[in-house]
């Protein structure tokens, strides 16, 4: 697709979604509200629809008289009856109210409007019944339907259409590992792809309903001319109409396989009795037969069976309505329509949300300015820092495994895990190891930061979340990696989970938070392992991981060498990837000596951006005005994770799994590069 055309199509797709998309969501959700009406109505409104078995029902005229007495303010319009002897009889009036009666004793069961009750309200809203001009409402719905078909469904499919096998593979699945807007857009494409076919069927079959010319086109193309309704012929000026019961009995005699019928009173003196009939074995709920009778003589004026007498043009039109409303295919098709209709709501959220985030992200300042109120030496070269709001305000909540970005001066930003109780809303506590080869961050925290100083930090983020719904947990911490693990242990102890914690350090003097752990309620679950201690107390990783259990999840944090050893051993012992959870503090340092320049192409706009050998992808994109959220800038946290549609990636991160790297569908633009001359990104 030409990049200029693609850009215009994207603009049309976006803005039609942001404007008429709201009406589409309204139509979809109201349609979802009544699609299961046939299955649920008798259950929801059982008091109105179901009666004790009645073998000798009263004449319809007596039932109509009882209904009229209960509802005198409107004229009789019709009576709906079934051959089910446990069903009520519904008498309809010109104000669309239905009076439900027990057919055996004429007891009034209740009154409900055709567009009342949950299903009726949804139906009325879906049909735009709130418009005074009903034809205008149908036409508006038709135009919205058309725009939805062309720009939202058709345009979305055209924009989604993959240009390579790699892009197709990426598009066919939802990737929950993507961050923020990228994850939401992945959901948008995933739901749109799998609901597109159903939505196309719904919208195409809705066109004859919304546009009278489309219906007339179907009729004229098939040579169908709607017949006029027959008229009665009164034999004298004072002639009286025959009772409705006579019409009903004659209708049953002429159409023996009736399951349901709507019998209509003549609106004018010359009108005939009319019956809409559903026969047993019909193909759908609109496949109606018709019987017209002279209201005075009882002569059958016209009998039209759906199967034998109706022309193809009429059947096509009725099939369109039936398919649109879920009246064919039974429950499986109705559930499919329900899911597709609800999917439109998901599409609206996943389409609106990234747009709004892009528009307002720069105007919202997520940074917090906090005051250091306590600095404690926890172990050799390890300090804890307690941060609070200077005015005593509550801080944004966090969960076990979360971290904050801390600005430590001179443009340095470092990530530190929160290690206090997540229930505490008045403070954040972090633990910081002073690295011998510090690049400035930990040295500044230890040497320059004093109690009373103000620090700029981010709101908490969690790329290492704890799922506390599992059965058993194995927690492994190496050195300063205890900070998120300690928070997890406290959370698991609080919910009563079954877990053990192994804490590995160089020595007792290098073991942070040991007193806090020994005073905790879970102290008996913790084992300490020191590198300079006796051999028998060292952690035997192969033995610990020897027999993976399907109900046990491993959470791991610490130095890279420690985690690499644990992960390699776990994989060797057969631990499934889904049961392994880890967080790295930093990625490996890669030499840039052999780096080469390459290009990245933005799939949504077609724009090509050159990435120089000395620059990262995020830096090159930023210079071109494309902002990608980043945090660690080392490929550790996954904040910048981006989907790759074409090209080969040179992975330099610590976030992706081996399987995800091999799939070549994701990469971290803050540190990773390209092996191919061009990377096509889902941006």
């Amino acid at each position: 697709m030409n990049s200029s055309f693609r850009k215009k199509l994207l603009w049309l797709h976006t803005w039609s979604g942001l404007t008429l998309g709201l009406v589409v969501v309204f139509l979809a959700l109201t349609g979802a509200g009544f699609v299961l009406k046939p299955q649920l109505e008798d259950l929801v409104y059982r008091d109105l629809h179901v009666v004790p078995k009645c073998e000798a029902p009263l004449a319809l005229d007596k039932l109509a008289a009882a209904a009229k007495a209960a509802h005198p303010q409107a004229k009789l319009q019709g009576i709906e009856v079934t051959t089910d002897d446990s069903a009520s009889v519904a008498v309809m009036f010109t104000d669309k109210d239905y009076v439900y009666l027990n057919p055996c004793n004429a007891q009034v069961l209740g009154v409900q409007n055709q567009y009342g009750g949950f299903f009726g309200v949804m139906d009325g809203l879906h049909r735009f019944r709130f418009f005074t001009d009903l034809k205008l409402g149908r036409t508006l719905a038709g135009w919205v339907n058309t725009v939805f078909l062309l720009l939202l469904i058709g345009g979305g499919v055209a924009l989604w259409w993959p240009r390579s096998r790699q892009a197709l593979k990426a598009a066919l699945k939802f990737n929950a590992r993507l961050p923020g807007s990228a994850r939401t857009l992945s959901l948008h494409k995933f739901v749109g792809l799998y609901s597109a076919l159903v939505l196309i069927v719904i919208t195409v079959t809705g066109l004859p309903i919304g546009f009278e010319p489309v219906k007339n086109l179907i009729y004229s193309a098939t040579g169908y001319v709607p017949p006029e309704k027959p008229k009665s012929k009164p034999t004298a000026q004072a002639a009286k109409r025959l009772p409705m019961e006579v019409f009903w009995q004659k209708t049953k005699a002429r159409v023996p396989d009736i399951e349901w019928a709507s019998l209509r009173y003549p609106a004018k003196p010359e009108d005939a009795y009319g019956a809409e009939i559903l026969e047993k074995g019909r193909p759908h709920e609109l496949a109606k037969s018709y019987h017209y009778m002279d209201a005075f003589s009882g002569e059958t004026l016209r009998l039209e069976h759906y199967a034998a007498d109706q022309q193809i043009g009429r059947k096509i039109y009725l099939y369109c309505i039936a398919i649109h409303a879920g009246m064919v295919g039974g429950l499986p098709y109705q559930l499919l329509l329900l899911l597709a209709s609800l999917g439109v709501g998901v599409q609206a959220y996943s389409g609106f949300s990234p747009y709004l985030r892009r528009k307002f992200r720069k105007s919202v300042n997520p940074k917090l300015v906090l005051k250091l109120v306590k600095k404690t030496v926890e172990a050799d070269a390890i300090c804890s820092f307690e941060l609070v709001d200077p005015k005593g305000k509550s801080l944004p909540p966090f969960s076990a495994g979360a971290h904050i970005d801390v600005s430590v001066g001179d443009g340095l930003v470092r990530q530190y895990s929160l290690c206090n109780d997540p229930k505490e809303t008045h403070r954040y506590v972090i633990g910081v190891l002073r690295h011998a080869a510090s690049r400035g961050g930990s040295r500044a925290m230890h040497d320059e930061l004093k109690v009373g100083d103000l620090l700029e930090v981010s709101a908490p983020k969690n790329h290492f979340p704890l799922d506390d719904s599992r059965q058993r947990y194995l927690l492994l911490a190496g050195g300063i990696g205890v900070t998120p693990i300690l928070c997890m242990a406290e959370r698991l102890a609080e919910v009563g989970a079954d877990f053990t914690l192994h804490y590995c350090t160089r020595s007792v003097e290098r073991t942070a938070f040991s007193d806090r752990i020994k005073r905790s309620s879970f102290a008996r679950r913790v084992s300490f392992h020191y590198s300079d201690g006796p051999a028998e107390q060292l952690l035997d990783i192969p033995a610990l991981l020897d027999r993976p259990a399907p109900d046990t999840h491993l959470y791991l944090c610490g130095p890279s060498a420690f985690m690499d050893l644990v992960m390699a051993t776990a994989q060797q012992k057969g631990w499934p990837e889904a049961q392994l959870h880890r967080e790295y503090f930093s990625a490996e340092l890669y030499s840039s000596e052999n780096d080469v320049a390459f290009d990245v192409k933005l799939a949504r706009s077609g724009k090509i951006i050159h990435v120089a050998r000395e620059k990262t992808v995020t830096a090159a994109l930023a210079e071109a005005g494309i902002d990608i959220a980043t945090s660690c800038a080392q490929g550790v946290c996954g904040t910048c994770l981006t989907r790759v549609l074409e090209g080969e990636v040179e992975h330099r991160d610590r976030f992706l799994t081996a399987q995800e790297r091999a799939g070549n569908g994701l990469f971290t633009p803050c540190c990773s590069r390209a092996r191919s001359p061009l990377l096509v990104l889902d941006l």
Side-chain angles (χ1 to χ4, degrees):
M1 183 187 298
N2 179 276
S3 61
S4 175
F5 175 75
R6 182 183 181 84
K7 189 173 182 180
K8 292 176 182 177
L9 180 59
L10 177 61
W11 184 89
L12 286 170
H13 180 77
T14 301
W15 281 101
S16 59
L18 292 172
T19 51
L20 288 178
L22 293 173
V23 185
V24 171
V25 172
F26 173 82
L27 288 171
L29 296 183
T30 53
F34 68 87
V35 70
L36 293 179
K37 177 181 176 181
Q39 284 76 21
L40 300 179
E41 190 171 37
D42 286 350
L43 294 175
V44 176
Y45 303 115
R46 186 175 181 82
D47 292 343
L48 295 179
H49 291 259
V50 181
V51 298
K53 190 173 182 179
C54 178
E55 296 181 354
L58 298 175
L60 294 186
D61 300 279
K62 290 186 177 181
L63 297 175
K68 180 64 177 174
H71 195 73
Q73 62 269 31
K75 291 183 178 181
L76 287 168
Q77 188 174 28
I79 303 178
E80 289 186 4
V81 293
T82 75
T83 53
D84 182 355
D85 54 14
S86 295
S88 62
V89 168
V91 178
M92 188 173 72
F93 291 82
T94 51
D95 60 0
K96 302 298 182 184
D97 278 349
Y98 282 84
V99 176
Y100 292 88
L101 305 105
N102 184 320
C104 266
N105 56 24
Q107 176 191 357
V108 175
L109 305 175
V111 180
Q112 188 176 83
N113 192 270
Q114 180 179 356
Y115 297 105
F118 176 78
F119 300 113
V121 168
M122 291 294 105
D123 192 5
L125 292 173
H126 188 76
R127 296 170 186 259
F128 285 5
R129 297 284 303 185
F130 45 82
F131 277 89
T132 306
D133 185 345
L134 299 181
K135 186 175 180 181
L136 175 62
R138 285 198 305 271
T139 303
L140 176 59
W143 278 111
V144 171
N145 202 43
T146 303
V147 172
F148 180 49
L149 175 64
L150 296 178
L151 295 182
L152 293 179
I153 301 178
V157 170
L159 291 167
W160 166 87
W161 198 261
R163 294 168 300 283
S164 67
R165 181 178 297 180
Q166 182 179 339
L168 176 62
K169 187 177 179 181
L172 288 175
K173 60 182 180 179
F174 166 60
N175 197 315
R177 291 260 286 168
L178 289 167
S181 295
R183 180 173 61 249
T184 309
L185 284 171
S186 177
L187 175 66
H188 186 76
K189 295 177 180 180
F190 175 79
V191 174
L193 169 65
Y194 286 98
S195 60
L197 182 59
V198 180
L199 293 175
I200 288 172
V201 171
I202 295 174
T203 51
V204 169
T205 54
L207 293 178
I209 305 171
F211 294 118
E212 193 78 15
V214 177
K215 181 178 77 170
N216 293 336
L217 179 63
I218 294 173
Y219 285 174
S220 63
T222 57
Y224 173 68
V225 178
E228 293 184 2
K229 291 183 179 179
K231 300 293 184 181
S232 294
K233 300 174 183 178
T235 56
Q237 188 173 0
K240 291 185 178 181
R241 292 194 183 100
L242 294 170
M244 177 65 81
E245 181 67 21
V246 172
F247 178 45
W248 174 227
Q249 295 301 329
K250 189 166 185 177
T251 299
K252 287 196 293 183
R254 298 299 303 271
V255 187
D257 289 331
I258 293 178
E259 187 171 303
W260 170 93
S262 177
L263 311 174
R264 298 303 178 103
Y265 286 95
K268 300 176 182 178
E270 68 274 15
D271 287 347
Y273 277 121
E276 296 179 352
I277 304 161
L278 289 178
E279 299 181 68
K280 296 175 182 177
R282 62 193 176 275
H284 56 78
E285 298 306 298
L286 290 178
K288 296 177 181 178
S289 301
Y290 296 90
H291 178 219
Y292 294 94
M293 184 187 85
D294 189 297
F296 300 98
S297 67
E299 175 190 355
T300 292
L301 301 176
R302 189 169 83 229
L303 177 60
E304 181 182 307
H305 288 281
Y306 174 84
D309 303 323
Q310 287 195 16
Q311 296 182 25
I312 187 64
R314 178 66 176 171
K315 289 182 177 180
I316 291 174
Y317 174 65
L318 292 176
Y319 257 109
C320 285
I321 302 176
I323 293 170
H324 183 82
M327 296 181 180
V328 296
L331 184 60
Y333 179 63
Q334 289 170 319
L335 291 175
L336 197 62
L337 288 190
L338 177 63
L339 291 175
S341 298
L342 295 177
V344 172
V346 176
Q347 287 293 87
Y349 161 75
S350 56
F352 273 108
S353 178
Y355 175 81
L356 294 177
R357 287 182 202 171
R358 290 196 303 270
K359 287 296 180 183
F360 296 109
R361 182 167 55 200
K362 293 183 180 180
S363 63
V364 176
N365 182 11
K367 298 295 183 181
L368 306 170
V369 177
L370 303 184
K371 182 179 180 180
L372 177 62
V373 295
K374 193 174 183 181
K375 180 179 179 180
T376 305
V377 176
E378 300 288 351
D380 185 14
I382 298 176
C383 284
S384 66
F385 299 79
E386 182 177 336
L387 307 172
V388 302
D389 184 90
K391 297 181 180 179
K393 296 180 180 178
S394 295
L395 300 177
F398 68 95
S399 55
H403 72 273
I404 55 175
D405 299 340
V406 180
S407 299
V408 293
D410 296 329
L412 294 176
V413 178
R414 295 292 182 263
Q415 291 72 42
Y416 297 112
S417 296
L418 294 167
C419 59
N420 57 306
D421 192 331
K423 295 197 300 294
E424 296 178 340
T425 60
H426 67 287
R427 67 172 187 160
Y428 293 152
V429 178
I430 58 176
V432 181
L433 168 68
R434 179 182 175 129
H435 289 278
S438 172
R439 292 177 291 169
S442 66
R443 183 174 61 247
M445 294 287 290
H446 276 256
D447 298 347
E448 300 173 15
L449 202 58
K450 304 181 296 296
V451 171
D453 286 350
L454 297 178
L455 279 174
E456 187 179 80
V457 308
S458 71
K461 309 171 186 178
N462 201 337
H463 302 304
F464 187 39
L466 170 69
D467 181 356
D468 59 13
S469 65
R470 304 295 182 178
Q471 294 184 12
R472 296 187 67 252
Y473 300 82
L474 177 59
L475 308 180
L476 297 183
I480 196 59
V482 75
T483 48
I485 297 298
L486 178 56
C487 197
M488 291 180 177
E490 290 177 334
R491 172 60 183 168
L492 294 174
E494 180 185 347
V495 299
D498 182 8
F499 73 96
T500 55
L501 166 58
H502 292 269
Y503 184 10
C504 303
T505 62
R506 187 176 302 173
S507 63
V508 174
E509 294 76 20
R510 299 293 294 268
T511 306
F513 306 109
S514 58
D515 290 340
R516 174 177 163 184
I517 293 172
K518 291 172 183 177
R519 293 193 306 268
S520 70
S521 62
F522 56 86
R524 61 183 179 82
R525 297 176 179 271
V526 183
S527 298
F528 293 90
H529 307 274
Y530 309 113
S531 299
D532 64 356
E536 61 269 16
Q537 58 80 57
L538 295 176
L539 179 61
D540 187 346
I541 295 175
L544 181 67
L545 303 179
D546 189 39
R547 295 178 181 176
D551 61 348
T552 300
H553 280 245
L554 169 66
Y555 285 81
L556 166 70
C557 190
S560 296
F562 171 73
M563 289 203 292
D564 288 345
L565 175 60
V566 172
M567 291 297 293
T569 305
Q571 290 163 356
Q572 182 183 4
K573 297 292 185 179
W575 282 70
E577 187 70 33
Q579 292 175 226
L580 302 176
H581 314 270
R582 75 282 195 197
E583 182 176 50
Y584 287 94
F585 287 119
S586 62
E588 298 176 32
L589 293 177
Y590 283 84
S591 171
S592 60
E593 182 178 346
N594 296 320
D595 286 353
V596 296
F598 58 95
D599 292 328
V600 294
K601 181 178 180 180
L602 310 184
R604 294 175 211 161
S605 65
K607 189 174 184 179
I608 296 178
I609 296 166
H610 184 70
V611 181
R613 65 175 299 276
E614 71 277 3
K615 287 186 179 178
T616 63
V617 175
T618 50
L621 292 175
E623 289 181 359
I626 296 136
D627 181 29
I628 292 182
T630 60
S631 180
C632 69
Q634 300 179 66
V636 170
C637 68
T639 301
C640 64
L641 198 63
T642 302
R643 192 155 62 171
V644 179
L645 301 181
E646 293 180 40
E648 186 179 358
V649 177
E650 181 184 344
H651 294 285
R652 297 184 176 184
D653 65 280
R654 282 283 192 173
F655 183 77
L656 295 174
T657 65
Q659 184 178 4
E660 287 172 329
R661 288 186 175 199
N664 205 57
L666 299 168
F667 95 126
T668 50
C670 68
C671 63
S672 297
R673 301 186 67 79
R675 284 199 173 97
S676 57
L678 177 70
L679 284 183
V680 179
L681 306 181
D682 189 16
L683 293 173

